[in-house]
Amino acid sequence: MTQPLISVIVPCYNVEEYLPRCVESVLNQTYRNLEILLVDDGSPDRCGEICDGYAAVDSRVKVIHKENGGLSDARNVALDVMKGEYVTFVDSDDYVAADYVEYLYKLIVKEKACLSVMNFQPFVEGTMPKDCGGEIAINIFSVEGALIQMFYQQAFDTAACGKMYHSLLFDEVRYPKNLLYEDLATTYRLIMKCSQIVCSDYRGYFYLHRSTSIEGTPFKPLKYESCMRIIRQLEADKVRMPERVRRALDCRIVSFAFHILLEVPQEEKEMRRSLLEIIRRKRIHVLFDGKARRKARAACLLSLAGVWLVNLFVGYGKSRKVD
């Protein structure tokens, strides 16, 4: 049986230290019929040169050099030119197991799904990912079930990576430019176009925690602006969702608002007021939602006494973390 072409999109920006490990993990896939799109997003380091080097030795590699436009723009440029029947994303500071593509593809074929998902194996810079082992569970979800699982952050989350998509899902769907947290604004729209989704506990995507990632960098207004724009989009699309999905989405919105609120400096009173208003409108529903994450429910409960108590709780939790 002829293997369909699968596109692997790797946006590259300022990651020359990590890029070779990432690209070589893609080149060494057990699934061979690949189109590997390396997008040099105007990187100031040697990323473009490294990408060109791989293209010179492997015909499956295609390099796109462009002015810096951010992660969404880099993904979108590749989506516009890809030729694969299926597509998956790998971030350039991460890497994947040798059977990453084959595993996700076989899930789609076996379960006649439009989208497959696997779990991440996170690791900290300077360490190696742990071997989790154990039995691998596979679950099939309807669109409604998948959205509920994702918005409650249970079986999987909104990340673009660690998933394989039928390319037709991206007809009329692109990642929003000039926003952070772009996956949250996009993945649910792709799921809403599916017939069913298959999700596996297999951890074949190795996710690097870096201090220079979006989550590791100090607060900047774009975090708040992105949060508010995405929440407005989610609220607008919520009217098309079943009641159970809307409840799960409210929980995700509250978690997102708390996440940004705890980063906003005290002097940014208008930003804090807007985020608190979102939380106040929804926190009672989240507090009494038995399916909501315990962290979200605890934050809602503590916020009744004041955000200072939420900050204290979060600070205490961080102080107890073990490297």
Side-chain angles (χ1 to χ4, degrees), residues 5-43:
L5 182 67
I6 294 178
S7 298
V8 183
I9 295 175
V10 184
C12 311
Y13 182 80
N14 212 22
V15 287
E16 65 178 9
E17 178 183 353
Y18 311 101
L19 185 57
R21 178 179 63 185
C22 173
V23 176
E24 286 165 22
S25 75
V26 176
L27 293 174
N28 293 326
Q29 289 295 298
T30 55
Y31 191 100
R32 304 302 297 170
N33 192 21
L34 300 177
E35 172 191 54
I36 303 167
L37 297 167
L38 306 181
V39 186
D40 168 24
D41 189 31
S43 186

Side-chain angles (χ1 to χ4, degrees), residues 83-126:
K83 294 181 169 56
E85 184 176 347
Y86 299 93
V87 60
T88 186
F89 302 97
V90 180
D91 283 348
S92 49
D93 51 355
D94 302 330
Y95 69 104
V96 292
D99 63 346
Y100 169 78
V101 171
E102 182 176 12
Y103 189 87
L104 287 172
Y105 171 65
K106 285 184 173 178
L107 284 178
I108 284 177
V109 172
K110 182 180 179 182
E111 305 301 340
K112 298 181 174 59
C114 302
L115 194 159
S116 59
V117 185
M118 70 166 58
N119 272 342
F120 287 1
Q121 179 57 48
F123 67 104
V124 178
E125 199 161 1

Side-chain angles (χ1 to χ4, degrees), residues 152 154 251 285-287 289-297:
Y152 279 134
Q154 294 175 340
C251 182
H285 296 291
V286 174
L287 184 58
D289 184 347
K291 294 182 179 179
R293 299 174 84 196
R294 282 185 292 179
K295 283 173 60 177
R297 296 173 73 189

Side-chain angles (χ1 to χ4, degrees), residues 10 115 150 218 259 262 303:
V10 184
L115 194 159
M150 186 175 69
H259 180 80
L262 294 174
S303 72

